[in-house]
Amino acid sequence: MSDRILVFDTTLRDGEQSPGASLSRPEKLQIAQQLAKLGVDVIEAGFPISSPGDFEAVRQIAEEVRGPEICGLSRVRQEDIQRAYDAVKASPRARIHTVIATSQVHTEKKLRKSREEVLAMAVDGVRFARSLAAEHGNCTVEFSTEDAVRTDLEYLIDVVAATVEAGADVVNIPDTVGIATPPHFHRIIATLLERIPLLRERIVSVHCHDDLGLAVANSLAGVEAGARQVECTINGLGERAGNASLEEVVMALKVRRDHYQAASSVVTTELYRTSQLVSKLTGMAVQRNKAIVGMNAFLHEAGIHQDGMLKDASTYEIMSPADVGVPESRLTLGRRSGRHALKARLEELGYHLAEAELDQTYEQFLKIAERKKEVFDEDLAALMDDAVRGVPAKFKLLQAQVTTSTATDSLPTAVVVIEADGEVIKDAAIGDGGVDALYRAIERATGVTVDLADFQLRGVTGGTDAMGQATVKVMYQGRQTTGRGASTDVFEASAKALLDAINKVSWLEEQRAKGSGGAA
Ligand code: KIV
Ligand code: ZN
């Protein structure tokens, strides 16, 4: 048995299908670059036929990200497969992932096709993908049987055997609705490998959803049965309850290598940083007690536990925070820290800045250090997150002033000063609360009105001088955009978050006007 498990990351495809997790094109690229650093084997970058924006995002990732295979999803129709191939072909390591549903409920109710028709469509799709892959020279063909777990097993065997025969390099067995249990899923994978000799020469992949909270357990049961690829997402994002969490699968394989006798090539020290990046860019918070990357994952509260930890960490820790890249030292810089100290600390945290960017970041750092006695790693990460956007900022906040009172008949008022393409605009508004007044003033000043779908504010570190990070989700012309901002002042953080979203919306509008297909 080969002991190498391929990690297929679908954060940018299935993960991005999470309600409320949409990403812009520059954000997708940023995540893909980080996934390459993390050492995943395959990045499923999107579903190219679904929109011009998705096509463009996959194409750009295929062009710019090196290391992992870059994969595009398609249905089995030729037009879909061609579009997926066109999006990934610039990658020296490309992959076409083509899918059709095989369960009775899907074939009858959704596809309205007979079993024979579905089988023929699957085989034709794989053959066509194979022909494009031959043109490329280094392109893998993956085929998925959607809703495999609810598919009649004899029929599933027929479909998998026929598609392997037609040239699929990888056959993926999804638990699309998250209904499997570990023994059930183990049985399906083991049966397929036992009954289809040719499949043993190819790669069996698993793709489990978390509707019963069993996605990771089922994926690992698949590995025990002989699967050699696991499809998963950072922070377990994905349709409904999500997919198997990449960090949990990878660390289970690593910590329990004695049991699984298999390993991935993921650089586990990049897990925490990747999780934080995905959480910030999608605006989907990581639950505090989430395994591996949650805030509490390495905290010990009970006295007995703390006593044990002081004597020997192995009393209560099965892996160390350093194994997954959780920063160990928290207190780092202050008002007197120089530019070099900032540069060194940022590099330790994985941010490598050009000189001009460093100058700008140092100025912002000093402003924070003026307001806060101690600048923590989390503050620096929030500052960097605020600085790294990828979309040019048309509007820049110069000043925000909010007046509120505890009186019941008070009139919360906000004044903003915003720079737009070199011009300084001042405006003011009243609202139902401080943030409401602020947002109305920003909308007046920028001339852009959006619907606020979600607003979250959290302290990055503890204390009343903590950096606050605001995240907003706004709807504009039927499309959701996320904005973020950080500051020691909650109103400033909130204003920056809305302006960030408005900058993205304005950029999209400009792209659309230029006719680039609105790819974001
Ligand atoms: O859950 C699923 O079945 C999928 C397929 C496209 C692999 O996401
Ligand atoms: Zn899925």
Side-chain angles (χ1 to χ4, degrees):
M1 190 201 281
S2 148
D3 76 343
R4 173 106 145 82
I5 303 298
L6 299 175
V7 173
F8 176 114
D9 180 275
T10 182
T11 307
L12 296 176
R13 200 277 299 166
D14 214 322
E16 213 232 355
Q17 286 171 221
S18 292
S22 64
L23 295 160
S24 68
R25 201 199 319 158
E27 288 170 335
K28 286 182 187 175
L29 184 62
Q30 205 183 332
I31 290 176
Q33 301 281 22
Q34 179 58 31
L35 289 171
K37 225 167 153 191
L38 180 66
V40 304
D41 299 282
V42 186
I43 295 174
E44 186 164 58
F47 185 7
I49 201 146
S50 65
S51 70
D54 230 43
F55 176 88
E56 197 45 44
V58 178
R59 197 200 54 74
Q60 195 180 2
I61 290 169
E63 217 154 66
E64 296 186 24
V65 177
R66 291 294 171 262
E69 279 184 39
I70 306 300
C71 171
L73 180 69
S74 71
R75 288 166 295 187
V76 292
R77 291 163 37 196
Q78 285 207 358
E79 187 198 353
D80 274 48
I81 296 171
Q82 182 72 54
R83 195 86 176 128
Y85 175 67
D86 288 343
V88 298
K89 68 184 177 194
S91 173
R93 304 185 64 219
R95 181 177 291 210
I96 301 168
H97 177 191
T98 188
V99 58
I100 191 164
T102 50
S103 65
Q104 194 173 344
V105 61
H106 277 246
T107 52
E108 276 178 13
K109 306 252 164 64
K110 185 179 84 175
L111 301 175
R112 303 212 166 97
K113 301 271 181 219
S114 70
R115 282 180 164 196
E116 293 70 28
E117 284 171 314
V118 167
L119 193 143
M121 286 165 75
V123 167
D124 287 350
V126 170
R127 284 207 185 113
F128 184 62
R130 189 74 273 153
S131 69
L132 296 176
E135 206 174 276
H136 184 277
N138 195 9
C139 178
T140 307
V141 174
E142 171 168 336
F143 170 70
S144 278
T145 52
E146 190 187 1
D147 205 14
V149 169
R150 291 193 299 174
T151 301
D152 169 66
L153 191 52
E154 288 304 318
Y155 178 59
L156 186 67
I157 292 168
D158 289 346
V159 175
V160 171
T163 49
V164 165
E165 195 74 49
D169 302 299
V170 180
V171 176
N172 181 43
I173 307 300
D175 180 16
T176 305
V177 294
I179 197 173
T181 62
H184 178 195
F185 199 59
H186 186 286
R187 206 159 48 241
I188 294 173
I189 303 298
T191 307
L192 291 169
L193 280 163
E194 188 190 304
R195 296 273 300 276
I196 310 167
L198 195 53
L199 186 59
R200 290 178 227 139
E201 292 167 29
R202 308 287 162 82
I203 290 170
V204 175
S205 166
V206 291
H207 175 116
C208 298
H209 279 268
D210 208 30
D211 299 67
L212 293 175
L214 292 171
V216 171
N218 288 334
S219 304
L220 293 170
V223 167
E224 285 185 287
R228 283 294 165 265
Q229 175 177 287
V230 178
E231 300 198 354
C232 40
T233 57
I234 300 296
N235 300 334
L237 292 182
E239 281 280 1
R240 308 179 310 280
N243 288 66
S245 134
L246 182 148
E247 54 279 6
E248 292 175 25
V249 170
V250 164
M251 288 315 287
L253 290 174
K254 184 167 178 177
V255 173
R256 295 308 312 273
R257 185 148 190 191
D258 60 318
H259 177 74
Y260 293 107
Q261 302 286 316
S264 76
S265 58
V266 164
V267 181
T268 61
T269 48
E270 290 291 329
L271 283 172
Y272 182 74
R273 186 173 302 140
T274 315
S275 159
Q276 291 285 299
L277 179 72
V278 169
S279 168
K280 277 177 202 153
L281 296 186
T282 56
M284 305 274 284
V286 177
Q287 127 204 5
R288 270 185 95 105
N289 60 335
K290 162 96 175 55
I292 318 295
V293 291
M295 203 187 253
N296 290 1
F298 295 97
L299 294 185
H300 304 271
E301 187 75 16
I304 293 176
H305 287 217
Q306 287 180 350
D307 179 51
M309 283 297 294
L310 288 172
K311 289 175 178 149
D312 189 327
S314 69
T315 50
Y316 288 102
E317 274 182 358
I318 57 167
M319 59 198 137
S320 80
D323 286 341
V324 300
V326 171
E328 279 180 273
S329 79
R330 284 169 45 84
L331 177 60
T332 50
L333 304 173
R335 195 155 48 92
R336 293 195 181 79
S337 304
R339 202 171 163 282
H340 285 295
L342 176 69
K343 182 171 188 251
R345 191 63 200 149
L346 285 174
E347 283 176 3
E348 272 167 46
L349 294 172
Y351 301 102
H352 300 269
L353 304 187
E355 287 304 303
E357 287 172 319
L358 183 65
D359 286 343
Q360 224 180 359
T361 307
Y362 187 60
E363 253 175 58
Q364 288 162 337
F365 160 77
L366 285 180
K367 279 190 201 150
I368 295 168
E370 278 300 317
R371 297 183 195 171
K372 262 180 128 254
K373 274 201 292 294
E374 298 160 336
V375 180
F376 295 99
D377 289 346
E378 291 89 334
D379 298 322
L380 294 180
L383 173 68
M384 290 316 297
D385 181 48
D386 214 24
V388 178
R389 283 295 183 273
V391 172
K394 175 173 178 182
F395 301 106
K396 202 170 148 214
L397 183 74
L398 298 181
Q399 215 189 102
Q401 202 177 305
V402 179
T403 314
T404 58
S405 142
T406 50
T408 45
D409 57 353
S410 77
L411 285 178
T413 312
V415 177
V416 291
V417 184
I418 286 169
E419 188 189 309
D421 296 330
E423 191 195 336
V424 175
I425 309 165
K426 296 178 186 163
D427 222 317
I430 54 170
D432 290 335
V435 174
D436 188 47
L438 186 61
Y439 279 18
R440 287 175 194 232
I442 290 173
E443 286 182 339
R444 285 174 60 98
T446 58
V448 181
T449 306
V450 292
D451 285 329
L452 188 65
D454 192 26
F455 171 81
Q456 288 177 37
L457 187 64
R458 71 175 184 98
V460 173
T461 50
T464 48
D465 65 352
M467 283 272 277
Q469 187 156 50
T471 305
V472 296
K473 290 193 174 147
V474 303
M475 295 301 294
Y476 183 77
Q477 295 184 351
R479 191 180 179 124
Q480 185 183 280
T481 301
T482 306
R484 286 174 313 283
S487 168
T488 48
D489 179 275
V490 293
F491 287 121
E492 189 178 331
S494 308
K496 281 179 165 179
L498 183 65
L499 273 179
D500 183 36
I502 287 179
N503 277 326
K504 287 180 190 164
V505 163
S506 310
W507 180 78
L508 268 175
E509 281 296 293
E510 275 169 30
Q511 299 304 303
R512 234 177 248 143
K514 281 187 207 155
S516 83

